Amino acid sequence: MAEKMDQIAVDPDFYAMSTGYGMDPHDLQSDTTSLASAIARGRVENGRRYQATKEDDYCYGINELRHMMFLVLDHDQLNPLFRAPIGDSPKNILDIGTGQGSWAIDVADRYPSATVRGVDIFPPPVSWMPPNCLFEVDDVLREWTWREPFDFIHMRLMYGAFPPDGWHELYKQAYDALEPGGWIEQMELDVRVYSDDGTLKKEHQLYGWGDMFIRCSERAGRSLRTHETMRSAIEEAGFVDVHEEKYKIPIGPWARDNALKEAGHLQYGHWNAALEGWAMWLLTHFGEPVPWSKEEVHVFLAKVRTELSSPHIHAYEPANRVWARKPTKEELEEKEPNIKAETSP
Ligand SMILES: C[S@@+](CC[C@H](N)C(=O)[O-])C[C@H]1O[C@@H](n2cnc3c(N)ncnc32)[C@H](O)[C@@H]1O
């Protein structure tokens, strides 16, 4: 695959489709059964998660599509689930805002030695999970009550979830709840949409889409700029050995590279299914110059959908992943020699 931040090469055959992708975004069966990568196929064939009733009959949640998209995006990694070097036998892992729990379930499958906890304010709609995976309903902004220290704390797509002081408190609680030497990792999307070849133009609704949503989210007090703020917030909480990786995620299957084509295909399906959910609340409460009516949002989204399905717009969303380590015991002792005195019997 090309380097993740290179300009994404466009599939030259794509222009043959002059009237749109011709994919019914509601027909996720045809979307997903066409996937070519081993990772996506592995998940498609893993019937227990998708209530498969026969080989080609699957029922996907929209968040499951997004989880698969992330796996496809990192299909060239030995471990496409995360980057933090946590070793082969972690004991305690926490997934904050686990959503449908797909990440937590996959990590529990991969690390039978670990207890993987997924926490969310809503219970995940899963009927099966590995025995070492636990789902808990809780608000992570409240005081944490887990007793066992974690080796690894993970977050993905928590953008806009918390006000600034909530984030500050969350990273602090995560730092305190980790073993010395434990890892934190976070992956977030930039809600702004770009094209590198000028095919996304000022007159398109998608052009100003992300900036408008960011302004709305800031009026709501929970900024969507989490991808920009997480690195420094993680550093400020005391984490060291900070790493960052940046991505471009195509929206639509317009890329020449097969994996990016698949990722774009999944991302397109996800956008179509999730668009209204993202836009309706923000725009009807915090839209500009005044909150929008429901009808105005529907008209806007119809235009956005047309643009999304155009093979002539090569749009992508940036994303980034940050992972960092809590200092080891030795590093902590070196920094604050009193810690040793306090913790020694
Ligand atoms: C966009 S979803 C991301 C889900 C999942 N991490 C993924 O990558 O698919 C954000 C999740 O954070 C959860 N969440 C928001 N605020 C929370 C809180 N205070 N405590 C726990 N979970 C929270 C939401 O319920 C939602 O499931």
Side-chain angles (χ1 to χ4, degrees):
M1 186 160 55
E3 282 299 311
K4 291 186 165 109
M5 289 309 285
D6 284 353
Q7 178 164 342
I8 302 172
V10 177
D11 179 352
D13 296 337
F14 214 59
Y15 288 102
M17 300 182 190
S18 56
T19 54
Y21 294 155
M23 296 188 297
D24 177 352
H26 302 291
D27 182 6
L28 302 182
Q29 292 180 17
S30 63
D31 267 13
T32 46
T33 47
S34 69
L35 295 177
S37 90
I39 286 170
R41 255 200 328 271
R43 294 187 60 78
V44 168
E45 285 161 16
N46 184 357
R48 71 179 191 224
R49 300 275 295 283
Y50 312 117
Q51 298 104 46
T53 52
K54 59 182 194 292
E55 211 179 301
D56 59 350
D57 181 10
Y58 299 97
C59 171
Y60 288 88
I62 56 173
N63 293 330
E64 189 63 27
L65 269 186
R66 192 168 54 191
H67 179 62
M68 281 210 288
M69 187 282 294
F70 282 119
L71 295 184
V72 171
L73 201 62
D74 269 326
H75 76 109
D76 52 346
Q77 297 289 322
L78 233 52
N79 176 0
L81 291 160
F82 58 86
R83 283 287 191 295
I86 62 169
D88 293 333
S89 44
K91 290 200 201 72
N92 282 296
I93 296 178
L94 178 66
D95 185 30
I96 294 178
T98 198
Q100 298 204 343
S102 312
W103 185 92
I105 290 174
D106 278 3
V107 172
D109 268 342
R110 195 180 178 104
Y111 294 95
S113 66
T115 298
V116 182
R117 289 171 200 277
V119 61
D120 203 289
I121 37 177
F122 299 111
V126 289
S127 53
W128 189 95
M129 66 203 83
N132 59 328
C133 184
L134 306 174
F135 289 118
E136 298 178 16
V137 177
D138 211 338
D139 177 350
V140 291
L141 292 187
R142 292 168 50 172
E143 195 179 332
W144 293 11
T145 51
W146 293 291
R147 286 173 192 205
E148 292 290 315
F150 294 105
D151 307 285
F152 182 34
I153 297 180
H154 172 264
M155 284 182 266
R156 189 176 67 187
L157 300 179
M158 296 302 289
Y159 50 173
F162 310 120
D165 55 342
W167 278 113
H168 180 75
E169 193 52 33
L170 183 76
Y171 291 122
K172 187 175 171 308
Q173 294 215 70
Y175 182 91
D176 291 343
L178 278 164
E179 284 278 20
W183 288 84
I184 188 168
E185 180 161 330
Q186 184 166 5
M187 177 143 195
E188 298 294 344
L189 281 172
D190 180 348
V191 295
R192 287 168 289 201
V193 177
Y194 301 87
S195 73
D196 283 340
D197 58 3
T199 51
L200 182 65
K201 299 187 193 314
K202 262 196 176 143
E203 61 266 26
H204 291 129
Q205 304 294 331
L206 277 171
Y207 188 90
W209 156 280
D211 282 321
M212 177 173 75
F213 275 75
I214 287 174
R215 290 194 296 273
C216 291
S217 71
E218 288 176 350
R219 282 194 284 275
R222 294 184 306 166
S223 175
L224 285 166
R225 289 182 187 273
T226 310
H227 67 288
E228 283 173 9
T229 51
M230 64 180 168
R231 183 183 179 133
S232 55
I234 285 172
E235 283 167 344
E236 273 163 34
F239 290 94
V240 295
D241 204 357
V242 184
H243 306 258
E244 183 165 10
E245 180 160 4
K246 297 187 175 187
Y247 300 79
K248 289 178 179 177
I249 307 174
I251 309 172
W254 53 263
R256 190 171 60 196
D257 175 89
N258 274 340
L260 287 176
K261 186 185 285 296
E262 270 185 33
H265 198 162
L266 290 164
Q267 191 67 342
Y268 172 76
H270 181 253
W271 264 71
N272 262 298
L275 263 184
E276 191 170 325
W278 297 332
M280 192 54 84
W281 186 81
L282 266 184
L283 291 176
T284 56
H285 288 82
F286 298 97
E288 54 195 33
V290 291
W292 298 17
S293 69
K294 241 170 97 174
E295 293 69 30
E296 284 169 326
V297 178
H298 282 303
V299 171
F300 171 66
L301 291 182
K303 292 182 193 156
V304 170
R305 283 204 168 86
T306 306
E307 291 174 9
L308 280 176
S309 70
S310 165
H312 300 289
I313 300 177
H314 306 138
Y316 69 87
E317 270 186 300
N320 56 335
R321 181 196 292 278
V322 170
W323 63 104
R325 179 171 59 76
K326 177 169 174 173
T328 59
K329 220 166 149 223
E330 294 70 32
E331 285 168 332
L332 288 168
E333 284 169 2
E334 208 172 289
K335 215 168 117 202
E336 290 180 54
N338 290 344
I339 290 181
K340 191 171 186 180
E342 278 167 21
T343 53
S344 303

